[in-house]
Amino acid sequence: KNQIHVKGVNYSIIKVIGKGGSSKVYQVLHEGSKKIFAVKYVDLECADDVIIQSYKNEITVLQRLQNKDPIIKLYDYEISQSHIYLVMECGSIDLASFLRRKRVQKEDILFYWRQMLTAVQCIHDEGIIHRDLKPANFLFVEGSLKLIDFGIANSIQSDRTSVTRESQVGTLNYMSPETIQSSGDSHGGDHTSMKINCKSDVWSLGCILYYITYGKTPFQSITNTMMKLQAICNPDYKIQFSDVHDSNLVDVLKRCLVRDVKERPSIKELLDHPYVSSKT
Ligand SMILES: CN1CCC(Oc2ccc(-c3[nH]nc4cccc(OCC5CCCCC5)c34)cc2)CC1
């Protein structure tokens, strides 16, 4: 069947964009308007109440953030006992696929950095902390980067993600030291403040900027998972920062990848940093 019906509206499937455990994202054509959309389908057959609630939470937050530009548009949705359909804006390519294909021109790095900061600032202003930011969460829509999801419901990987290639889902390469250390006692509830917790997304953004700048993430070369987790948390493991054209860029990277959460800058401070504010 190559048609999807959402709230009684017909969409023709053009192709599969990505698929996860129980979800798929299709590129579809709305016959009436001849417009292209992305439809995210979630199969709820084997989903328990916690998963169903996490999807409802993601939809609620997505609706609340609809007036913000750097957040993906949600046009319609349908929830039934057996499935969820989300009719959303269709982008051209996610940042993970984009970075796998080509190195970023150095003058474009600042453009992407500003847009990622602004997008994450939007969810922080709504009291949402992602905690699992990676390039696959960002999407190019008409040349600008938008945030696809908020880390509330489980995520999707590219349909071309082979088992061997490091799929972006579940990658530890962007995880902050405090997230790794706190996941042990998460049952105790995170007592730290929103201000401190926001810094975990700053660490992940720093890892993404590092990947854009140097072509690899700070701990990518450590393939053993335990060794990787230890290195991320170990202050004696010095992250390498090779010099690049713009010393302000290296300074941003060094500040974002500070293990001490209190020393790490906030998004607001990063937007005031000379790397961002000194250029046009
Ligand atoms: C490998 N190949 C894939 C297709 C294309 O990239 C995308 C096109 C559209 C999109 C998208 N638009 N609206 C979207 C709304 C929700 C989710 C979306 O993706 C989810 C998931 C798809 C797999 C990659 C990670 C993001 C959405 C996303 C990737 C080109 C690269």
Side-chain angles (χ1 to χ4, degrees), residues 17-18 25 38 72 88-94 97 101 136 139 148 156-160:
I17 290 175
V25 179
I72 193 154
M88 304 163 94
E89 180 171 35
C90 191
S92 51
I93 186 168
D94 63 285
S97 304
R101 291 183 183 170
L139 177 70
I148 297 180
I156 287 193
Q157 62 204 50
S158 162
D159 60 318
R160 267 183 262 303

Side-chain angles (χ1 to χ4, degrees), residues 3-20:
Q3 289 257 325
I4 294 180
H5 311 283
V6 181
K7 287 278 182 60
V9 177
N10 277 3
Y11 299 92
S12 307
I13 294 173
I14 298 170
K15 68 172 183 177
V16 174
I17 290 175
K19 48 178 173 258

Side-chain angles (χ1 to χ4, degrees), residues 196-249:
I196 290 287
N197 289 335
C198 283
K199 302 288 186 79
S200 300
D201 287 343
V202 169
W203 173 279
S204 305
L205 285 169
C207 292
I208 297 174
L209 185 64
Y210 190 100
Y211 180 47
I212 291 174
T213 307
Y214 297 121
K216 64 180 271 298
T217 52
F219 303 94
Q220 191 168 307
S221 51
I222 307 174
T223 48
N224 175 284
T225 301
M226 278 314 295
M227 302 287 283
K228 191 194 289 275
L229 290 171
Q230 279 163 359
I232 293 170
C233 300
N234 177 6
D236 297 334
Y237 181 95
K238 300 300 176 203
I239 299 168
Q240 298 304 315
F241 297 93
S242 323
D243 282 339
V244 289
H245 59 289
D246 187 337
S247 57
N248 279 328
L249 172 53

Side-chain angles (χ1 to χ4, degrees), residues 126-146:
E126 290 290 322
I128 307 288
I129 296 161
H130 196 292
R131 283 199 189 81
D132 188 23
L133 280 174
K134 51 201 170 302
N137 298 119
F138 293 92
L139 177 70
F140 282 101
V141 179
E142 285 153 26
S144 298
L145 278 174
K146 296 198 174 197

